[in-house]
């Protein structure tokens, strides 16, 4: 759950009376501290569940339970589903017996499965045993699938119809289930052994003639996923087809649940975060980075840094082996960081666009060679422009034309090399079955460091005729 | 529009007969080349519009129009909306007169506005003048708003109801409009001057008693945005509240359109790409990076590179001013790239998590000082671990303990400095009103280069007692 608080320059969203602004939130805390519960209740009444949840999260721990108890029962469940897992857990511990059960029983099965993942096993066992058989079955079903799969993020609360029913019967059925179902706008048609045979939307049903049968109206070509399909693939399918939900079937094509578009929005955000972290050389975990303890944070980062450090020892070895050049013309040293730094930046740009292109499937039908060639030409362009600037700067700084020429020409070659490495290594990694994002900016930068130093010192040796 | 073709190891989505697999696609091309149109038609019939669009995009240019003409009229319009802008344009040029008009007239207004943005002004004027007055009005309305705002991505094809109607009347009204509206699951209630007074879902209406009035059922606290609200704010609101659509009102609170969740999925993907490009030091544009010509590509990248290059000239200046140390102990040179490279990587990790935290609003309620302090401690941790490794490596490589100690201790300080710079500069930039993503990995890396060299050479001077 994330909050919207961006002050965008082009006009902040008009949320009218519905959003709890920061000032109102601190007022909520004051009212609760003064034990003025009727006023606090009145303050919360017109707000959206997501906003109430955020206001409760911001309260000091002991007040959270008090504020939560002020909510009408129906709303309490909705608000609870929006709370951070941490706050959900602490409220569960705060409440006892029937209170807890009322909430947990009413949660949607996918949210409940997510909460149960985080609770101590003992609490989960106790809660599960107290749920009604129907809810217990739904939760146990979801908990049986791997996290990150369609089975885990689906909800079993869909509406299924039979082919033989007419539109009037179907509408009556929907009316009776509408309150308990998470999604009533897509309707799923199954046969006697629960196999998915068709799909129709509430829109199709509403415009149908009352006596038409479901079999007549429904679409038989159904896009579905399996319980073990990765959640990011589910998200991409929903995004591709502009669906509001996608049915999930088991190995026998029996319908077991649906994934709804609101969950997909969260999956896409989580995927973007994972990708961005990888690009920055940070291993991403399940919990939020900012809620993880420092030791875990250091752990998640040190592995990458060590790999890069070991790669970078190559630069020391190269310089060491070429030390005679540097001893003769110490002036060359001044431009090492500038050359490899710029090379790293050029390479980072290439790898960023290629990795993003691979991850969004934009590069699916393009030949790798065409892309790498294009990047090489771009690298040459950039290298010539930057090389000219650097040549001038080097000459001004040292007054040594030979050194300046060595620096300028090296930059052109480093720039081409960096573009080629930055664009080809992600392809290579994908081909080998690894995640292309492993070839991210930090890795490319380090790789270019090693080769850049080698190029520079050899070019210098050549030009200086040593 | 992006395609799903990931071969995920955890189970590829079961698309049954609906997806046009690559082999079928090449078959489509063969059939078209052989002019066997009935078979080609049969091949396309069971597929989803998004898949047909992709198959058409993959065909050579002259075959695209032939394949497109095989589609039944209703489906042709849907497929057309899924095509890339480029292909849409070339088809428009291929078709003449009535054909074009039939398609353009039936497109949803937001997709049409997006197409018109790309077409030559002359074509747009001609097309606009030929549209029916209603469709012309809708398109002109959208074209009047800035790209990137709610006004531009909204659709005017929503259903509005009146408070005084009863549920039966409302359902009849919906039935009559269901075909022409993009979203019938959320219904908007307006007064006589088109002001938005309430909202209800089709679900609420379906479960209502036939004689209940809309005024009784509707919710009066409506979350809405204005026409000039930035599209990413609209996306975040829909994500936050799990809505299927969000109403857009003008300055007088009159309802002018709605933004639907499927458009939001595309906005979120575009935003993620923009953020990732910024982090990689690539300026993002409107068109896809891979469809842009090389000169534009070089342009988008060279500005950043020049800024970084100029910053990096600082390292040359620092080294130049400390050249006496290097002249006496050339061995020091070997570790410059390793030290600043590692420092850059540590800084890139910090800035990545902070920028992502700021962009997803996860860091909204956290104090900057707490976060920066945390990063500093993490940096010290990492520095000590890496410093120990590097000290050992430096000693093994050079056999000079004093140099090794200078390298190790420098790395600890550089690592702390890099974490602090990486975490504090994004906050500073946000405070100053700039985009925090400008303080991305390439910038932090370059910044650390300059300071890193300064620290290293001064530490060496101190330890070597020069």
């Amino acid at each position: 759950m994330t909050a919207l608080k961006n002050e965008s320059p082009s006009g902040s969203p008009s949320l009218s009376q519905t959003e709890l602004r920061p000032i109102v939130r601190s007022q909520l805390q004051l009212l609760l501290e003064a034990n003025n519960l009727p006023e606090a209740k009145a303050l919360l009444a017109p707000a959206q569940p997501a906003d109430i949840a955020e206001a409760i999260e911001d309260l000091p721990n002991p007040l959270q339970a008090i504020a939560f108890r002020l909510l009408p029962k129906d709303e309490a469940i909705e608000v609870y589903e929006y709370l951070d897992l941490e706050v959900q857990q602490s409220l569960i511990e705060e409440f006892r017996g029937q209170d807890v059960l009322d909430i947990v029983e009413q949660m949607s099965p996918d949210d409940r499965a997510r909460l149960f993942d985080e609770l101590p096993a003992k609490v989960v066992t106790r809660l599960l045993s107290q749920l009604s058989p129907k809810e217990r079955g739904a939760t146990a079903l979801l908990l049986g699938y791997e996290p990150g799969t369609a089975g885990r993020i689906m909800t079993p609360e869909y509406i299924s119809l039979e082919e033989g029913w007419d539109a009037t019967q179907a509408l009556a059925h929907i009316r009776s289930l509408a309150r308990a179902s998470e999604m009533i706008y897509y309707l799923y048609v199954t046969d006697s052994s629960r196999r998915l045979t068709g799909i129709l939307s509430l829109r199709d049903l509403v415009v149908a003639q009352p006596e038409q049968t479901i079999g007549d109206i429904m679409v038989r070509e159904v896009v579905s996923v399996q319980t073990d399909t990765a959640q990011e693939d589910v998200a991409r399918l929903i995004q591709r087809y502009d669906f509001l939900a996608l049915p999930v079937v088991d190995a026998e094509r029996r319908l077991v649940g649906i994934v709804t578009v609101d969950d997909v929005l969260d999956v896409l955000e989580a995927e973007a975060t994972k990708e961005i972290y990888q690009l920055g050389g940070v291993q991403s975990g399940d919990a939020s980075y900012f809620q993880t303890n420092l030791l875990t944070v250091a752990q998640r980062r040190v592995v990458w840094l060590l790999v890069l450090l070991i790669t970078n020892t190559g630069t020391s070895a190269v310089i060491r082996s070429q030390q005679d050049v540097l001893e003769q013309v110490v002036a060359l040293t001044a431009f090492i960081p500038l050359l490899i730094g710029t090379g790293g930046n050029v390479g980072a740009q290439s790898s960023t666009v290629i990795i993003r292109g691979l991850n969004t499937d934009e590069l699916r039908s393009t030949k790798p060679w065409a892309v790498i060639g294009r990047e090489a030409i771009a690298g040459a362009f950039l290298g010539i422009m930057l090389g000219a600037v650097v040549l001038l700067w080097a000459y001004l700084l040292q007054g040594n034309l030979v050194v300046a020429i060595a620096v300028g020409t090296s930059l052109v070659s480093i720039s081409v090399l960096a573009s080629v490495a930055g664009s080809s290594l992600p392809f290579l990694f994908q081909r080998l079955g690894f995640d292309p994002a492993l070839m991210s900016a930090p890795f490319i930068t380090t790789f270019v460091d090693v080769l850049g130093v080698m190029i520079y010192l050899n070019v210098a040796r050549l030009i200086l005729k040593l």
Side-chain angles (χ1 to χ4, degrees), chain A residues 193-231:
Chain A
S193 49
R194 288 206 296 125
R195 274 199 196 81
L196 183 64
T197 58
I199 184 175
L200 74 163
S201 66
L202 186 54
R203 178 198 300 246
D204 299 330
L205 197 60
V206 160
V207 298
Q209 299 304 316
E211 66 284 359
Q212 274 189 287
T213 66
I214 297 303
D216 289 341
I217 318 168
M218 73 182 197
V219 175
R220 283 170 202 278
E221 289 87 23
V222 186
V223 178
S224 62
V225 292
Q226 298 201 321
T227 49
D228 59 357
T229 303
Q231 61 178 12

Side-chain angles (χ1 to χ4, degrees), chain A residues 152-441:
Chain A
R152 212 32 152 355
I153 58 169
M154 73 186 182
T155 171
E157 296 183 334
Y158 54 86
I159 295 182
S160 66
L161 305 176
E162 292 179 21
E163 280 191 42
W165 292 354
D166 66 26
T168 313
Q169 272 179 295
L171 275 172
H173 182 69
I174 293 164
R175 207 164 278 137
S176 71
L177 291 178
R179 287 273 170 244
S181 305
E182 206 175 314
M183 160 63 69
I184 70 161
Y185 304 123
Y186 282 8
L187 307 159
Y188 301 90
V189 188
T190 50
D191 64 14
S192 55
S193 49
R194 288 206 296 125
R195 274 199 196 81
L196 183 64
T197 58
I199 184 175
L200 74 163
S201 66
L202 186 54
R203 178 198 300 246
D204 299 330
L205 197 60
V206 160
V207 298
Q209 299 304 316
E211 66 284 359
Q212 274 189 287
T213 66
I214 297 303
D216 289 341
I217 318 168
M218 73 182 197
V219 175
R220 283 170 202 278
E221 289 87 23
V222 186
V223 178
S224 62
V225 292
Q226 298 201 321
T227 49
D228 59 357
T229 303
Q231 61 178 12
E232 52 267 36
D233 292 342
V234 178
R236 293 236 164 264
L237 276 175
I238 286 191
Q239 187 187 17
R240 174 181 172 86
Y241 295 117
D242 292 344
F243 288 154
L244 298 181
L246 204 56
V248 183
V249 297
D250 65 13
E252 280 81 41
R253 255 197 99 63
R254 281 191 302 255
L255 182 60
V256 287
I258 60 170
V259 176
T260 53
V261 69
D262 57 313
D263 293 321
V264 158
L265 284 171
D266 298 334
V267 169
L268 284 180
E269 171 133 322
E271 288 300 314
T273 297
K274 197 177 133 195
E275 187 177 342
I276 287 169
Y277 275 23
Q278 275 182 323
L279 291 177
V282 184
Q283 200 191 327
S284 60
D286 284 333
S288 158
Y289 178 86
F290 300 103
Q291 281 159 25
T292 316
N293 69 58
L294 260 179
L295 207 71
T296 318
V297 164
Q299 230 172 26
R300 278 202 212 160
R301 288 164 55 170
V302 78
V303 179
W304 246 129
L305 290 174
L306 274 175
V307 171
L308 295 172
L309 184 66
I310 291 164
T311 316
N312 225 331
T313 53
T315 52
S316 327
V318 170
I319 293 179
R320 168 105 175 113
S321 70
Q322 308 272 342
Q323 202 159 309
D324 55 320
V325 189
L326 288 173
E327 265 161 20
Q328 294 189 42
V329 190
V330 181
L332 286 170
T333 315
F335 302 100
I336 291 180
L338 183 146
L339 287 175
I340 62 180
T342 305
N345 292 332
V346 172
Q349 290 182 330
S350 287
S351 71
T352 298
V353 295
I354 302 300
I355 291 169
R356 183 66 184 159
L358 288 172
N359 277 341
T360 56
D361 287 316
E362 218 190 327
L363 282 176
R364 192 186 40 79
S365 53
T366 323
K367 298 251 177 308
W369 295 120
V371 177
I372 297 168
R374 207 176 117 97
E375 287 298 311
I377 298 171
F381 263 167
L382 294 170
I384 291 167
M385 283 190 269
L386 299 171
V389 175
V390 160
L391 194 148
L392 199 71
W393 156 252
Y395 184 67
L396 289 176
L397 190 76
Q398 301 270 19
N400 182 334
L401 191 62
V402 181
V403 169
I405 290 172
V407 172
T409 50
S410 296
L411 189 53
V412 180
S413 355
I414 290 174
S415 178
V416 174
L417 171 95
S419 308
V420 171
S423 54
S424 58
L425 290 178
F427 278 113
L428 181 72
F429 258 50
Q430 199 188 40
R431 187 65 56 91
L432 296 176
F434 298 115
D435 187 334
L438 290 173
M439 284 299 100
S440 55

